[in-house]
Amino acid sequence: MLAVREIAVSGYRSLERIRFPVDGLGVFIGGNGAGKTNLYRSLELLQAAADGVLTRALAAEGGMESVLWAGRRRVGAPARVHLSATLADDAIGHSFGYEVAVGLVPQSGDGIHGAAFALEPQVKAERLTLQTGLRPVVALSRDGPSGFVRDEDGRKRPFGSSLLATETALGALQDAMRFPEIAIVRQAMAAWRFHHDFRTDAASALRRPCLAVTTPTLASDGSDLAAVFATLKHIRQDTADLDEAVDHAFPGARLVIPPPDRDASFGLIFSDYPKRVFAASELSDGTLRYLALAGALLAYRLPPFIALNEPETSLHPDLMEPLARMIVRASERTQVWLVTHSERLAQAIAELGGVRPRIVVKRDGATWIEGLRLAGDFSEDEED
């Protein structure tokens, strides 16, 4: 499994230039406007590059004019968003480095922009390296429309003319047999899960039964939560962690997961009403959101990387410790990365998991992390 070891971002919103290590469990806390969400969003954009929808994702944010660093830039420096990630397989000692730069469509006097619309983002550069020994091997290199990729025999092959300026090579080169390194990185990044928008309104998918299909991992929107619970109960036949998480949050309560037929469903029995099953459609927003987080963190099979954005939203403060327990438990099986406003949640994770929260701040208008050095690591003094 490829673990995320480092992230670097520059030119994106409040992220002028930042590079930071990624641990097995990372907690980032800070006030409104510090840029925590931009850190989280940069990880989503890296996944979008793997999925081949990076330029579409940036366009959906308002286009390059909206997402570019708004502070001062060097005179003559191109306006670019740079994203990079280092991933490593510790079992075999291999690591991969992927980076991509996105910029504006070149303007010409005759109004011609080539194979792109006038205001859409374009991929300007892309690079994938593989480190197996002393020297890295470049598996993919792109500069504008030209570049090369190494095939399964290690030979360089030009891209040709089929790759559009709005496409990432990481997402477009799908032949896993010819380009195995690209396939490995793409599949690893595509498997990341981001949980930040569990809808709990009356029309939410969380409140309705879902198709009864064995589901080892929760979808990002939680729409298959009932199937995740049914898989734990009736396929894995082990709900010990889930039952414990429910009892910690709602003492005396019990999660009911009936054997599914065509659909899977669930409900809760509370200690005050021992003979009444409350269906998902009847649960409070906070209760339902907590159960969705339980599905994300305690599923049969966890993704290689889970990112949570303000998971405390709509939860009662008394649920912070039970939530922290789930997060720490999940970090024993996978990488977990979260940003939060809640000092209580951050402190509970610190006490239960021995992880120091990182404080996100603004420094001269740019997002920074306290204790982070320009070299991309945290100072020894801060670790003492």
Side-chain angles (χ1 to χ4, degrees), residues 17-32:
R17 184 177 298 275
I18 191 168
R19 180 160 59 96
F20 56 93
V22 181
D23 299 320
L25 174 56
V27 181
F28 295 80
I29 187 168
N32 289 326

Side-chain angles (χ1 to χ4, degrees), residues 124-349:
K124 300 296 184 179
E126 207 172 353
R127 188 177 177 90
L128 176 65
T129 58
L130 167 64
Q131 185 87 43
T132 60
L134 295 178
R135 298 181 61 184
V137 175
V138 179
L140 161 68
S141 182
R142 173 187 188 178
D143 185 7
S146 63
F148 71 86
V149 61
R150 292 188 189 274
D151 63 18
E152 71 277 17
D153 297 320
R155 293 176 296 185
K156 292 183 180 180
R157 295 184 178 274
F159 284 145
S161 59
S162 60
L163 193 67
L164 295 175
T166 51
E167 296 178 310
T168 58
L170 185 63
L173 300 176
Q174 294 280 333
D175 192 334
M177 295 296 293
R178 294 182 63 197
F179 314 119
E181 292 85 5
I182 293 175
I184 289 169
V185 173
R186 180 178 59 249
Q187 291 168 8
M189 293 169 66
W192 297 352
R193 283 289 192 275
F194 296 87
H195 297 295
H196 61 273
D197 191 23
F198 288 128
R199 284 182 51 191
T200 56
D201 57 89
S204 166
L206 295 176
R207 296 191 178 277
R208 300 193 301 270
C210 67
L211 291 175
V213 177
T214 301
T215 307
T217 305
L218 187 71
S220 287
D221 63 358
S223 57
D224 50 8
L225 178 61
V228 167
F229 287 161
T231 299
L232 284 171
K233 175 72 173 180
H234 302 290
I235 301 297
R236 189 179 188 183
Q237 298 184 345
D238 181 3
T239 59
D241 289 345
L242 182 59
D243 293 338
E244 182 181 85
V246 170
D247 186 62
H248 282 160
F250 316 108
R254 180 166 58 90
L255 188 64
V256 177
I257 310 168
D261 40 42
R262 292 181 179 176
D263 293 327
S265 62
F266 66 90
L268 268 183
I269 293 177
F270 294 97
S271 59
D272 293 339
Y273 306 96
K275 296 184 179 181
R276 167 86 152 83
V277 178
F278 288 82
S281 60
E282 302 175 276
L283 299 176
S284 71
D285 290 355
T287 299
L288 192 61
R289 185 176 177 84
Y290 179 85
L291 292 176
L293 289 165
L297 296 166
L298 303 176
Y300 188 173
R301 181 187 304 132
L302 296 185
F305 184 85
I306 298 175
L308 305 173
N309 187 15
E310 299 179 12
E312 71 276 7
T313 301
S314 80
L315 298 187
H316 190 278
D318 289 346
L319 294 181
M320 293 305 102
E321 183 176 341
L323 175 58
R325 288 182 182 277
M326 289 197 299
I327 290 170
V328 172
R329 181 69 58 86
S331 71
E332 297 169 358
R333 299 167 57 195
T334 189
Q335 280 188 282
V336 182
W337 192 94
L338 74 147
V339 296
T340 179
H341 282 300
S342 173
E343 293 185 5
R344 185 168 177 176
L345 175 61
Q347 184 60 35
I349 293 173

Side-chain angles (χ1 to χ4, degrees), residues 54-139:
L54 174 59
T55 57
R56 176 177 290 274
L58 290 170
E61 288 192 33
M64 293 301 293
E65 296 88 347
S66 176
V67 303
L68 283 170
W69 160 248
R72 298 179 61 182
R73 290 194 294 268
R74 296 195 314 272
V75 176
R80 301 278 174 86
V81 172
H82 292 262
L83 306 162
S84 74
T86 300
L87 302 93
D89 186 336
D90 294 335
I92 58 176
H94 291 182
S95 66
F96 297 85
Y98 174 72
E99 56 186 293
V100 60
V102 182
L104 299 164
V105 176
Q107 301 299 307
S108 60
D110 57 10
I112 297 174
H113 307 288
F117 299 119
L119 299 179
E120 68 179 335
Q122 281 192 325
V123 178
K124 300 296 184 179
E126 207 172 353
R127 188 177 177 90
L128 176 65
T129 58
L130 167 64
Q131 185 87 43
T132 60
L134 295 178
R135 298 181 61 184
V137 175
V138 179

Side-chain angles (χ1 to χ4, degrees), residues 340-376:
T340 179
H341 282 300
S342 173
E343 293 185 5
R344 185 168 177 176
L345 175 61
Q347 184 60 35
I349 293 173
E351 293 174 356
L352 294 168
V355 174
R356 178 176 300 191
R358 304 296 185 186
I359 300 175
V360 181
V361 296
K362 276 287 185 69
R363 191 177 72 176
D364 297 327
T367 295
W368 198 251
I369 304 169
E370 287 190 358
L372 181 65
R373 300 189 294 192
L374 292 176

